[in-house]
Amino acid sequence: MAPAVDNDDKHNKAKSEYDKGTNYVAGGIEADPYLFALIVASPFLTLLLAHITSTEYVEAHPDQPPFLFTTLLPTCFQDVSTCVRSVYEAGASVTPTLEAAKFVLSFMGVALLLERTLPGKIETGPETLTGHVPKYVDNAMAHCFSFSPLFWLGSNLGPLKLYDFGIFYDLFPGAVAFLNLFGIVFCVFLTFKGRYYPSTQDYGSSGSFLKDYLWGTELYPRIYGLDVKRFINCRFSMTFWQLCGLSFAYRSYTLHDGEIDYGILFSAISQYLYLVKFFSWEMGYMRSIDIIVDRAGYEIQWGCLVWVPSVYTLHTRYLVQHPSGLSFGVAAFLFVLSLLGVVLNYKADHEREVFRATNGKCKIWGKDPTYIEAKYAVMDRKTGKKTEKTSLLLASGCWGVARHFQYFFELTAAWSWCLLTNPMQNGILPFFYAIFLTYLLIDRANRDSEKCHLKYGKYYEEYCKLVPYKIVPGLY
């Protein structure tokens, strides 16, 4: 019976913190030990992944087989000390370079300029427990369709010829090393800012500097009016990922004497279109768990600054030195499958956006939507006064199939991109992204469920009876 008591105590503590208006869901190092272990190892892991996909590594190991992971693992078991030393030396060999730092800072500078100057309609995020309503200029699509042409204009393929179009690949190791240092220092700044100079009332401290550093102290930090989470999570991270694929495909083409690798080409195009979809849906993202639950700490801000550029591009980056060898037909089939995932992921998100915008007065799959009218309370932390609010929980369309059916479509795209690396030829290492994303989305679905149980109580329990599965109907 002890575990049940422990779970009740945890729930009651989380409910107490929720009622105080401090945060929707408790988080941090104690919430998921496996994720914490990954967080500790992640800076070094990003350096290691950057090294083993670099030109320098291939030149130093010309006879290294593509099945890198499965080939080296037995060797490491035979001589653990030598393996550990070699792995450490490989990761430690990746250091920041001035050229890479200038490239990253220039990239951020262009993103900042577009963020501040492009026009757009004023949109809002969900009201927080303290009554704060975040506001944003919705200029994401303008950003997306401005940044890509600007990158082309400045490259050797455009008129200005300031840099090579393959610059993302050429400077990648140094850029990751610089971003690591920048991200670690920046998250220290965010920790102190949230503790002593918060932008809103949605802040707090756990009492532990380590937990505050990892989980964050502030929900909506702004610096001179710049929304930190949107700029890092979207305008830097997603744009970097979007352009990496095209840059890597170009570098593959030049390295292999003009030979087209359909695996990397279709993967790059599909991911680019996926991220166009992301920017079209950016305001939906600003209402997601990453923004309304996760505080701006190391876990999410360092993750978007370093982990996303390093891991979310791994499968494409790996193909620069190790072509997929896929035929046009096979690559095209996987490309279409990935696009199907992208389109259906967008359709699911769009259904909910329309439902929210019309306050439920719309048709979903040709029928009036089924939903739960859920009541919750917003509290003023200064006065203690609570105000009752209402939300509509959609249980029709994709959202009636599973509570996060859109994750299934996102994973369909992710696994398709990794299959485009041709595991029969290149092994399982490029699948690290898809494996990680699967774990991440399952964890996110669980945390969202916990948040909604705390926020809506009996109304969410009623919703769960209507929609019992989280991601895959009949399975999970």
mmCIF file of all heavy atoms in Angstrom, residues 7 54 143 173 212 224 278 304 361 382 416 463:
data_model
loop_
_atom_site.group_PDB
_atom_site.id
_atom_site.type_symbol
_atom_site.label_atom_id
_atom_site.label_comp_id
_atom_site.label_asym_id
_atom_site.label_seq_id
_atom_site.Cartn_x
_atom_site.Cartn_y
_atom_site.Cartn_z
ATOM 1 N N ASN A 7 2.026 8.069 -4.033
ATOM 2 C CA ASN A 7 1.423 8.709 -5.196
ATOM 3 C C ASN A 7 0.380 9.736 -4.793
ATOM 4 O O ASN A 7 0.279 10.807 -5.395
ATOM 5 C CB ASN A 7 0.781 7.654 -6.106
ATOM 6 C CG ASN A 7 1.819 6.810 -6.844
ATOM 7 O OD1 ASN A 7 2.930 7.273 -7.060
ATOM 8 N ND2 ASN A 7 1.453 5.597 -7.215
ATOM 9 N N SER A 54 31.484 14.472 -39.021
ATOM 10 C CA SER A 54 32.245 15.558 -39.642
ATOM 11 C C SER A 54 33.201 15.036 -40.707
ATOM 12 O O SER A 54 33.551 13.843 -40.746
ATOM 13 C CB SER A 54 33.055 16.309 -38.577
ATOM 14 O OG SER A 54 34.071 15.467 -38.041
ATOM 15 N N HIS A 143 8.549 35.443 -41.352
ATOM 16 C CA HIS A 143 9.920 35.091 -40.964
ATOM 17 C C HIS A 143 10.427 33.939 -41.817
ATOM 18 O O HIS A 143 11.540 33.983 -42.364
ATOM 19 C CB HIS A 143 9.954 34.713 -39.482
ATOM 20 C CG HIS A 143 11.172 33.954 -39.084
ATOM 21 N ND1 HIS A 143 12.315 34.565 -38.615
ATOM 22 C CD2 HIS A 143 11.435 32.616 -39.095
ATOM 23 C CE1 HIS A 143 13.224 33.639 -38.350
ATOM 24 N NE2 HIS A 143 12.723 32.454 -38.634
ATOM 25 N N PRO A 173 30.627 21.332 -36.330
ATOM 26 C CA PRO A 173 31.241 20.996 -35.039
ATOM 27 C C PRO A 173 31.565 22.231 -34.195
ATOM 28 O O PRO A 173 31.246 22.281 -32.999
ATOM 29 C CB PRO A 173 32.515 20.238 -35.435
ATOM 30 C CG PRO A 173 32.194 19.666 -36.781
ATOM 31 C CD PRO A 173 31.366 20.722 -37.452
ATOM 32 N N ASP A 212 16.475 24.735 -10.084
ATOM 33 C CA ASP A 212 16.051 25.965 -10.756
ATOM 34 C C ASP A 212 16.758 26.127 -12.088
ATOM 35 O O ASP A 212 16.162 26.573 -13.077
ATOM 36 C CB ASP A 212 16.345 27.181 -9.870
ATOM 37 C CG ASP A 212 15.371 27.308 -8.715
ATOM 38 O OD1 ASP A 212 14.380 26.554 -8.688
ATOM 39 O OD2 ASP A 212 15.598 28.153 -7.844
ATOM 40 N N TYR A 224 13.903 43.108 -22.867
ATOM 41 C CA TYR A 224 13.580 44.287 -23.679
ATOM 42 C C TYR A 224 12.417 43.995 -24.630
ATOM 43 O O TYR A 224 12.437 44.372 -25.805
ATOM 44 C CB TYR A 224 14.810 44.764 -24.450
ATOM 45 C CG TYR A 224 15.909 45.286 -23.563
ATOM 46 C CD1 TYR A 224 17.081 44.557 -23.371
ATOM 47 C CD2 TYR A 224 15.767 46.507 -22.902
ATOM 48 C CE1 TYR A 224 18.092 45.031 -22.543
ATOM 49 C CE2 TYR A 224 16.783 46.996 -22.067
ATOM 50 C CZ TYR A 224 17.933 46.260 -21.894
ATOM 51 O OH TYR A 224 18.924 46.722 -21.072
ATOM 52 N N PHE A 278 5.273 24.005 -39.406
ATOM 53 C CA PHE A 278 5.448 24.444 -38.020
ATOM 54 C C PHE A 278 5.252 25.957 -37.899
ATOM 55 O O PHE A 278 4.549 26.429 -37.001
ATOM 56 C CB PHE A 278 6.838 24.075 -37.508
ATOM 57 C CG PHE A 278 7.142 24.664 -36.149
ATOM 58 C CD1 PHE A 278 6.728 24.023 -34.993
ATOM 59 C CD2 PHE A 278 7.795 25.888 -36.025
ATOM 60 C CE1 PHE A 278 6.966 24.582 -33.744
ATOM 61 C CE2 PHE A 278 8.037 26.454 -34.795
ATOM 62 C CZ PHE A 278 7.617 25.799 -33.640
ATOM 63 N N CYS A 304 16.736 23.600 -27.021
ATOM 64 C CA CYS A 304 16.429 24.203 -28.321
ATOM 65 C C CYS A 304 17.651 24.868 -28.950
ATOM 66 O O CYS A 304 17.753 24.937 -30.180
ATOM 67 C CB CYS A 304 15.292 25.212 -28.171
ATOM 68 S SG CYS A 304 13.680 24.428 -27.881
ATOM 69 N N LYS A 361 -18.281 26.305 -32.402
ATOM 70 C CA LYS A 361 -19.359 26.468 -33.400
ATOM 71 C C LYS A 361 -18.800 26.196 -34.798
ATOM 72 O O LYS A 361 -18.594 27.108 -35.611
ATOM 73 C CB LYS A 361 -19.947 27.874 -33.300
ATOM 74 C CG LYS A 361 -20.663 28.134 -31.977
ATOM 75 C CD LYS A 361 -21.175 29.567 -31.907
ATOM 76 C CE LYS A 361 -21.997 29.807 -30.643
ATOM 77 N NZ LYS A 361 -21.192 29.612 -29.417
ATOM 78 N N LYS A 382 -1.413 37.989 -5.762
ATOM 79 C CA LYS A 382 -1.267 39.109 -4.831
ATOM 80 C C LYS A 382 -2.439 39.202 -3.861
ATOM 81 O O LYS A 382 -2.262 39.474 -2.680
ATOM 82 C CB LYS A 382 -1.130 40.422 -5.613
ATOM 83 C CG LYS A 382 0.160 40.528 -6.414
ATOM 84 C CD LYS A 382 0.229 41.876 -7.136
ATOM 85 C CE LYS A 382 1.536 42.000 -7.907
ATOM 86 N NZ LYS A 382 1.625 43.297 -8.637
ATOM 87 N N SER A 416 10.056 8.063 -40.947
ATOM 88 C CA SER A 416 10.269 8.041 -42.408
ATOM 89 C C SER A 416 11.582 8.719 -42.765
ATOM 90 O O SER A 416 12.333 8.231 -43.630
ATOM 91 C CB SER A 416 9.111 8.728 -43.122
ATOM 92 O OG SER A 416 7.891 8.066 -42.880
ATOM 93 N N TYR A 463 -13.657 13.672 -19.703
ATOM 94 C CA TYR A 463 -13.080 13.728 -21.058
ATOM 95 C C TYR A 463 -12.314 12.442 -21.363
ATOM 96 O O TYR A 463 -12.405 11.903 -22.482
ATOM 97 C CB TYR A 463 -12.168 14.944 -21.170
ATOM 98 C CG TYR A 463 -11.366 15.022 -22.429
ATOM 99 C CD1 TYR A 463 -11.963 15.325 -23.647
ATOM 100 C CD2 TYR A 463 -9.984 14.806 -22.419
ATOM 101 C CE1 TYR A 463 -11.222 15.389 -24.817
ATOM 102 C CE2 TYR A 463 -9.236 14.871 -23.574
ATOM 103 C CZ TYR A 463 -9.859 15.163 -24.770
ATOM 104 O OH TYR A 463 -9.124 15.230 -25.924
#
